[in-house]
Amino acid sequence: MILIYPPISIPTEPPIGIANLSGALKKHSISHEIVDLNIEGIYWLLNNAYPSEDIWSKRAIKNMEKNIQNIKNGALFKNISRYKKAVYEINRILEIYALKKGIKITLSDYTDKNLSPLRSKDLIDSAKNFKENPFYNFFSERLSFLLSSNSPDFIGLSINYLSQALCAFAIIGFLKSNYRHIKIVVGGGLINSWVKRGMKKDLFNGLIDHIVAGQGESHLLSLLNVKPLHHSVYEPNYERFKKELYLSYGFVLPYSTSTGCYWARCSFCPERAEGNVYIQKKPEVIAQKLTRIVNETKSSLIHITDNAIHPYVLDAIIKNPPCALWYGFVRINKEMEDLDYCIKLKQSGCVMLKIGIESADQDVLRRMKKGLNIETAKKVLKNLKIAGIGTYIYLLFGTPFETDKSHKKTMDFVIEHHDLIDFMNIAIFNMPINTPDNRDIIFKSFYEGDLSLYMDFEHPKGLNRLYVRRFIEKTFKKQTEIKTIIDRQPPFFTSNHAPFFVMAKS
Ligand code: SF4
């Protein structure tokens, strides 16, 4: 078995889905290889960049090695201006690589002006014309070499983001043209979303042999005729990743304590729309396992990848800290109103918390079923600041419940509390297809293709996407206090690099 992670996704840590699959295969002593074509492909492009005439590109190539080193040794995280210059230079090399072909590659995205990952026809074209893919020379050589000494029955691709889909299909096209006997299995977050929203499992017949939706471990083992054990006995395996390659300050350990979401009530949440099942590992076991894995992998930081870390897990980590700093997504809970609790979180190694506040209008929060009181949020942000925990706040504009007044309330909230917010993600609402919360909504059309995950809709108060975008760009982002927060945002790497800035400050 070979497991492949295709380009492009943010290259800061190994893909957790493949680490989990590798752990399950190891538990059953099934031999397998892992190829992170994302991180390896990014290095390949950087090292094969064309000499360019413009001064910026020349300088970017000249400084590349030093810039990469300065990410890995942490030197850049003390100064956001130096960091931005270095990151934009690295990105420049990727960006110019295939621009003439209409393909834009960045450190976090892959777009092709002629092909959309939301159209099955375009994905099939990407597979047919695999030689046109900018990574072709790299992945064909890498995989041919691997397959010259390896004869697997299955190759699995983990496709989590739209930015991976076109390259994933090009890789599949290459494999199907040259190794017809190998069965192709695909899974991962994006595949799960497509299947849960009605994609036919035979849509890619001839290219894909098995589509896996949901947790991949048991499906994969069943394909290999192995009876899966209870999910609690499996743990991720990081042995086969080239840890030194990832663009982070030290090795970042991705670790999931759950799948799905323990809350699962927020209106229009894709997790709810997809009906993903919530599976939680035992909190007391997690803390012990983490300590062992951290020691084995010599991790500098743990990225807890859950949609929302359960309060019981936070309690277990406080009781039994994992010997490394950590960060992740949480929902604001009652306990955080207590400053002592936040200080204990900090003492457990918590560097930064990602928090979905979405709106500062209590009526919008109530109708969204966020289970969040904005007054509590204010108190908690203050406690986290005093405790020395960084905050990465997520805001969402344009939900069907919003009015102009709600936008203003959110803006006033951020202005008033700007000194408590370290980083901020601002998003425009997308309406998931198949959402169970669609009463009273008039739907218009699919966004772009037959694999669209979202639908256009008529906003009850007329706040269409264009109107919301204009508010964000022309009003919200122009406020001096808000601009200060936005200017701190690490380009491309966003929340994956934000904890390093918090660490550098303390
Ligand atoms: S907490 Fe996050 S993942 Fe959970 S239901 Fe709400 S929006 Fe969805």
Side-chain angles (χ1 to χ4, degrees):
M1 175 100 213
I2 296 176
L3 298 170
I4 292 177
Y5 194 60
I8 285 285
S9 88
I10 300 175
T12 49
E13 62 196 38
I16 180 64
I18 290 194
N20 284 335
L21 291 174
S22 174
L25 294 174
K26 185 182 174 196
K27 182 85 190 164
H28 293 274
S29 307
I30 298 168
S31 85
H32 61 284
E33 290 287 340
I34 288 175
V35 197
D36 186 343
L37 290 181
N38 179 50
I39 186 67
E40 290 185 27
I42 285 174
Y43 274 98
W44 182 85
L45 282 195
L46 290 175
N47 290 318
N48 286 280
Y50 306 113
S52 178
E53 282 314 303
D54 74 284
I55 294 172
W56 184 18
S57 306
K58 275 188 194 160
R59 196 180 55 208
I61 292 173
K62 185 171 145 258
N63 292 343
M64 182 184 72
E65 270 180 36
K66 187 183 74 195
N67 286 336
I68 289 176
Q69 262 336 99
N70 283 342
I71 288 178
K72 293 183 179 178
N73 65 26
L76 290 174
F77 299 105
K78 293 192 177 85
N79 182 317
I80 185 70
S81 306
R82 273 190 66 209
Y83 170 88
K84 282 185 181 173
K85 180 179 169 290
V87 166
Y88 280 119
E89 281 184 359
I90 298 171
N91 190 71
R92 174 73 184 164
I93 307 171
L94 298 179
E95 209 172 85
I96 52 174
Y97 191 83
L99 215 49
K100 280 189 197 141
K101 286 181 165 183
I103 295 170
K104 189 170 171 187
I105 302 168
T106 72
L107 283 159
S108 58
D109 206 3
Y110 179 101
T111 49
D112 185 331
K113 81 173 173 25
N114 300 310
L115 297 174
S116 163
L118 294 173
R119 280 197 290 263
S120 55
K121 186 190 155 298
D122 289 4
L123 292 173
I124 294 167
D125 279 353
S126 182
K128 270 190 201 148
N129 305 314
F130 58 84
K131 288 186 182 167
E132 301 292 313
N133 187 278
F135 291 98
Y136 167 69
N137 285 341
F138 160 66
F139 68 67
S140 56
E141 196 178 313
R142 175 75 167 94
L143 295 176
S144 302
F145 180 71
L146 188 63
L147 289 166
S148 65
S149 58
N150 227 303
S151 186
D153 293 330
F154 294 95
I155 291 185
L157 285 93
S158 175
I159 311 173
N160 293 282
Y161 307 104
L162 286 171
S163 54
Q164 292 180 292
L166 288 166
C167 293
F169 273 77
I171 295 164
I172 293 170
F174 163 75
L175 291 169
K176 277 293 173 192
S177 292
N178 294 283
Y179 306 92
R180 290 210 68 78
H181 61 285
I182 300 178
K183 299 251 182 297
I184 301 294
V185 189
V186 297
L190 180 65
I191 299 295
N192 182 51
S193 297
W194 279 340
V195 171
K196 295 284 174 67
R197 290 176 205 183
M199 181 184 86
K200 291 202 181 83
K201 285 211 171 183
D202 60 0
L203 184 62
F204 298 112
N205 267 359
L207 286 172
I208 295 172
D209 299 284
H210 299 278
I211 291 183
V212 173
Q215 242 203 348
E217 290 89 314
S218 51
H219 287 92
L220 197 64
L221 291 168
S222 304
L223 272 180
L224 300 169
N225 293 320
V226 175
K227 193 165 176 258
L229 303 171
H230 188 265
H231 63 83
S232 61
V233 302
Y234 298 125
E235 57 183 63
N237 177 30
Y238 306 90
E239 281 162 15
R240 289 158 200 265
F241 292 100
K242 298 177 179 174
K243 299 185 191 67
E244 68 290 353
L245 294 185
Y246 295 97
L247 299 182
S248 282
Y249 178 21
F251 178 62
V252 177
L253 180 84
Y255 188 86
S256 56
T257 86
S258 67
T259 54
C261 171
Y262 76 88
W263 178 253
R265 278 181 244 175
C266 303
S267 306
F268 307 116
C269 167
E271 279 297 316
R272 240 167 80 75
E274 289 166 16
N276 293 330
V277 183
Y278 170 58
I279 303 171
Q280 176 69 61
K281 292 179 187 163
K282 281 197 181 131
E284 57 285 0
V285 179
I286 291 165
Q288 292 158 5
K289 277 192 180 171
L290 263 177
T291 302
R292 185 176 45 74
I293 298 173
V294 162
N295 287 334
E296 281 169 11
T297 54
K298 300 187 177 48
S299 316
S300 59
L301 181 69
I302 305 165
H303 174 196
I304 302 181
T305 58
D306 299 26
N307 284 312
I309 308 172
H310 196 289
Y312 291 158
V313 174
L314 297 176
D315 289 347
I317 291 176
I318 286 175
K319 263 194 220 133
N320 201 351
C323 307
L325 301 174
W326 62 272
Y327 79 101
F329 238 116
V330 293
R331 289 173 40 74
I332 284 185
N333 61 37
K334 276 243 139 264
E335 288 81 355
M336 292 177 190
E337 283 189 74
D338 176 9
L339 176 60
D340 283 347
Y341 177 86
C342 294
I343 291 173
K344 283 182 194 156
L345 272 180
K346 169 75 181 172
Q347 287 166 345
S348 77
C350 178
V351 181
M352 184 185 90
L353 292 177
K354 302 204 277 177
I355 303 168
I357 288 187
E358 323 297 7
S359 168
D361 183 335
Q362 192 59 54
D363 192 45
V364 171
L365 291 173
R366 180 185 58 76
R367 296 181 67 195
M368 277 179 86
K369 303 193 189 79
K370 277 305 288 182
L372 172 66
N373 181 299
I374 197 66
E375 293 308 315
T376 308
K378 291 175 187 173
K379 203 167 168 195
V380 168
L381 287 179
K382 195 166 172 202
N383 282 348
L384 294 174
K385 182 77 183 178
I386 298 171
I389 296 174
T391 50
Y392 203 113
I393 299 306
Y394 287 69
L395 299 176
L396 187 59
F397 291 97
T399 60
F401 312 120
E402 280 182 306
T403 59
D404 276 323
K405 263 193 188 161
S406 356
H407 285 174
K408 174 92 174 44
K409 277 187 187 171
T410 304
M411 187 169 79
D412 290 345
F413 167 84
V414 178
I415 293 172
E416 198 185 328
H417 300 92
H418 71 277
D419 53 342
L420 306 180
I421 300 170
D422 292 294
F423 305 96
M424 191 165 55
N425 182 76
I426 307 157
I428 300 181
F429 173 72
N430 281 313
M431 175 71 75
I433 290 172
N434 290 354
T435 175
D437 311 293
N438 58 1
R439 287 177 304 278
D440 310 326
I441 303 286
I442 301 166
F443 290 99
K444 293 208 300 214
S445 59
F446 292 101
Y447 275 162
E448 198 175 323
D450 57 327
L451 294 173
S452 287
L453 299 170
Y454 301 102
M455 287 195 85
D456 203 1
F457 71 103
E458 237 174 77
H459 192 283
K461 303 281 185 308
L463 310 189
N464 61 36
R465 289 179 74 81
L466 189 66
Y467 182 90
V468 175
R469 180 165 292 123
R470 220 176 269 148
F471 166 76
I472 293 172
E473 297 302 328
K474 301 238 177 309
T475 310
F476 185 81
K477 286 187 177 175
K478 297 281 185 232
Q479 308 304 309
T480 315
E481 296 86 347
I482 293 176
K483 215 175 154 305
T484 322
I485 304 172
I486 293 169
D487 287 347
R488 280 199 288 264
Q489 176 89 337
F492 308 108
F493 293 103
T494 63
S495 65
N496 292 48
H497 272 181
F500 300 130
F501 286 96
V502 181
M503 285 153 64
K505 262 200 312 191
S506 53

